[in-house]
Amino acid sequence: MSILPFPPAAQGVALVLGGALLRAFYIVNNKRALRRYSSRFVILINMFGCAMILAPFLVASGALQHIDWLSWPAGILWPLLVTSILNILIQYGEIRSLALEDASLVTPISATAPVLSVLSGFLLLQELPTAAGWVGILCISIGSYALAGSMPEAANGVVSLSGVRRHLHRAASMLMPWRRLAQSAGVRIALLSSLAASISIAFDKLVTLKSGPLLLPVVAFTVVGVSQLPRLRKEDVPKRLSARDAAGLLLSPVIFAAVSVLFILGFYFGTVSGVSALRRVSILFVALLAGSLLGERGHPERIAAAALMASGAILLAF
């Protein structure tokens, strides 16, 4: 399979990096929308919008006629159900965490999932990282200190996160950055979302290789949208939208559809760990964009932290 005029490995890198850049704009656009609309409304627009954009291409491709749905274990129904359920947590967690905290703060948390997967790999399979992987863990650890240091703090040592204020000893905050990060509900939700994503990505590739690049986002994001319908309240739906606001809301599912396809196409050219690691480059892109486009504070430190954590996540793939 050839999509770009590059060697196969380079094609995969180009596709995933392109998706990572677009994902950064998707996150920034979502953060803007969440300043005016509820997370429930935004996620419905994104999920149903993306599925509706890609569904006609799925039907036109004829892929549905050649899919083995029910045989065991070759059928795709079971991995499709697993990843669809996991995506409820992934997509809701991403949007909800953005509603609670700065984009440049919660997005780098996705780099911690590979570290935790290393721990589970050692406990279950006695697998250890390579030398590059240990360097990656060090980069993520240092990045977490820089990220914690970028969080708003008053002169008297009071940390303010999403309206919650707690007194922390300065030395304790330096030695335990995750204590500061863990005070934020947005950070905790982002961590759970990234952990679910680290599990679902293997099922994503399995479905993709058996059905093509379009079935997964159409089905999974429709399931996510349907799961959020019972939670939608009347006050979540705006009574009136200006043309500009409507365009901003509709831009997100368009970008999300492109991001989903680019990431999924990357599966044809690389391993699950490689694709997962390259996706983390969006961490740096978000940090670079959030200061100018969203006016978020703590930016020199967050850019440094994002660069370290993205580099660490990539090194863990090798």
Side-chain angles (χ1 to χ4, degrees):
M1 180 178 182
S2 183
I3 298 174
L4 301 172
F6 307 132
Q11 290 187 57
V13 171
L15 289 167
V16 179
L17 287 181
L21 177 59
L22 285 177
R23 184 173 182 271
F25 283 102
Y26 168 72
I27 290 171
V28 169
N29 199 57
N30 278 331
K31 182 62 179 179
R32 283 175 168 172
L34 289 165
R35 289 173 174 173
R36 304 190 62 177
Y37 309 108
S38 76
S39 57
R40 289 177 287 269
F41 179 69
V42 171
I43 194 171
L44 282 175
I45 294 294
N46 290 348
M47 297 300 107
F48 284 135
C50 177
M52 290 174 64
I53 290 169
L54 296 178
F57 295 98
L58 173 62
V59 174
S61 70
L64 294 173
Q65 303 174 9
H66 309 289
I67 293 176
D68 178 3
W69 292 94
L70 299 177
S71 66
W72 179 266
I76 70 165
L77 183 60
W78 69 272
L80 184 58
L81 287 175
V82 171
T83 192
S84 295
I85 293 170
L86 287 171
N87 263 278
I88 296 173
L89 176 58
I90 295 165
Q91 303 304 329
Y92 173 77
E94 180 175 294
I95 297 298
R96 185 59 184 160
S97 64
L98 283 173
L100 295 171
E101 286 293 353
D102 288 351
S104 57
L105 179 63
V106 297
T107 305
I109 298 303
S110 65
T112 62
V115 177
L116 297 175
S117 66
V118 168
L119 177 61
S120 64
F122 173 72
L123 293 175
L124 299 176
L125 303 171
Q126 286 73 55
E127 294 179 349
L128 287 173
T130 63
W134 285 115
V135 174
I137 292 174
L138 178 62
C139 289
I140 292 173
S141 300
I142 296 172
S144 70
Y145 278 84
L147 194 66
S150 75
M151 297 172 71
E153 183 172 4
N156 62 356
V158 178
V159 178
S160 176
L161 291 171
S162 302
V164 178
R165 299 174 67 85
R166 300 189 182 190
H167 291 270
L168 288 176
H169 190 280
R170 186 173 298 276
S173 67
M174 290 177 62
L175 294 173
M176 299 179 65
W178 284 102
R179 181 182 174 185
R180 298 179 67 185
L181 291 175
Q183 293 178 63
S184 166
V187 170
R188 293 196 299 269
I189 293 172
L191 179 59
L192 289 174
S193 176
S194 66
L195 287 174
S198 68
I199 298 171
S200 72
I201 190 169
F203 295 99
D204 293 347
K205 181 167 185 176
L206 186 60
V207 172
T208 297
L209 295 180
K210 293 183 177 183
S211 65
L214 297 174
L215 179 69
L216 172 62
V218 171
V219 173
F221 299 149
T222 299
V223 170
V224 176
V226 170
S227 73
Q228 299 302 305
L229 282 174
R231 303 182 68 253
L232 189 68
R233 299 192 298 261
K234 184 177 180 180
E235 55 267 28
D236 292 328
V237 181
K239 295 180 180 180
R240 185 176 302 174
L241 285 173
S242 67
R244 181 176 181 178
D245 290 341
L249 282 170
L250 294 176
L251 179 62
S252 285
V254 173
I255 299 175
F256 191 43
V259 170
S260 301
V261 172
L262 287 172
F263 280 168
I264 290 170
L265 287 173
F267 287 137
Y268 291 103
F269 302 98
T271 63
V272 166
S273 61
V275 172
S276 177
L278 286 175
R279 289 184 182 186
R280 314 294 179 186
V281 178
S282 61
I283 294 169
L284 180 57
F285 292 148
V286 169
L288 292 170
L289 292 172
S292 58
L293 298 182
L294 296 174
E296 294 183 357
R297 296 177 297 167
H299 247 68
E301 297 89 348
R302 290 186 185 179
I303 291 174
L308 277 170
M309 296 177 85
S311 300
I314 292 173
L315 287 170
L316 272 170
F318 299 98

